[in-house]
Amino acid sequence: MANGNQPDWSQPPEQGPPKHGQATGFEQLIPTKNPWALTAYYVGVFSLIPCLGLVLGPTALIFGVLGLQRVKRIPALVGRGHAIAGIVLGSLAIVANIAGILVLFL
């Protein structure tokens, strides 16, 4: 800061690698340090395939909850969106497969 609370605009902004605890752009896109959230997302996507959702839906739901718990435990960790997507997709797959079974057999 140049004088008081005014920023010094004569200097370029700080560049370089992210500081400790900051996620890079790649890490924001694919949370490799939170495998529970990442797995929940991919399993949730594949759980939308009919019949696979019976097994993958609950798996995505469980992994999503574990991923959210890890984000809450370690605030600097990313992957909240992936975990929520896994929970939502897994829940949709469970409901859709149960509805499909009920339609077939009732």
Side-chain angles (χ1 to χ4, degrees):
M1 298 284 169
N3 49 3
N5 291 333
Q6 299 295 325
D8 184 10
W9 296 108
S10 65
Q11 299 295 321
E14 289 186 29
Q15 300 282 329
K19 295 180 174 73
H20 180 69
Q22 288 181 333
T24 63
F26 179 76
E27 181 67 28
Q28 288 286 342
L29 186 61
I30 302 174
T32 56
K33 292 185 177 134
N34 190 351
W36 295 114
L38 188 61
T39 305
Y41 174 75
Y42 285 118
V43 170
V45 169
F46 285 111
S47 72
L48 296 177
I49 299 172
C51 297
L52 287 180
L54 291 172
V55 175
L56 297 181
T59 305
L61 189 63
I62 292 168
F63 283 175
V65 169
L66 292 173
L68 274 180
Q69 287 176 346
R70 189 159 183 205
V71 168
K72 286 182 182 178
R73 200 171 42 245
I74 307 168
L77 201 59
V78 294
R80 186 172 191 261
H82 284 76
I84 291 172
I87 291 170
V88 170
L89 291 173
S91 300
L92 287 174
I94 291 169
V95 170
N97 279 285
I98 290 174
I101 290 171
L102 291 176
V103 167
L104 282 174
F105 293 110
L106 292 180

